[in-house]
Amino acid sequence: MLLVKELYVEFKKHNLYLSSAFGAAKKTIDSAYNVKALAPYLDSMHIMCYDYFGAWDKKIGFNAPLENDEELNVKYSIDYFLKLGAPA
């Protein structure tokens, strides 16, 4: 978080835009990001809502499902980021 804050301050001096891409799976979000702490220092947050299912799974699923009964879908990821403090 401190690196992102430092980058943000330096980028603003030069009128530059700072964004970041985030993994969309709940397990990744919980283990890798402090969304509320990062949000103020990013001009935009890109949530990588794809590759929810792939060759690593033992079942076939949609690449980027909008909704389903599980956590691996676009709606859940976006709602979860908002719940954790990402700006709408």
Side-chain angles (χ1 to χ4, degrees), residues 25-42:
K26 183 182 185 305
K27 182 178 177 181
T28 302
I29 296 165
D30 290 342
S31 66
Y33 313 119
N34 183 336
V35 175
K36 189 173 185 174
L38 289 169
Y41 303 109
L42 294 169

Side-chain angles (χ1 to χ4, degrees), residues 44-55:
S44 65
M45 301 172 80
H46 303 275
I47 305 168
M48 299 183 290
C49 293
Y50 54 85
D51 287 346
Y52 287 106
F53 299 98

Side-chain angles (χ1 to χ4, degrees), residues 7-25:
L7 284 170
Y8 181 79
V9 169
E10 291 302 314
F11 275 41
K12 286 300 166 198
K13 290 178 185 177
H14 304 283
N15 200 29
L16 297 173
Y17 186 89
L18 183 62
S19 66
S20 183
F22 293 87

Side-chain angles (χ1 to χ4, degrees), residues 69-88:
D69 294 333
E70 302 173 24
E71 296 173 350
L72 296 176
N73 65 78
V74 175
K75 182 178 181 343
Y76 182 89
S77 296
I78 300 299
D79 288 346
Y80 194 56
F81 264 87
L82 293 172
K83 178 182 171 185
L84 293 176

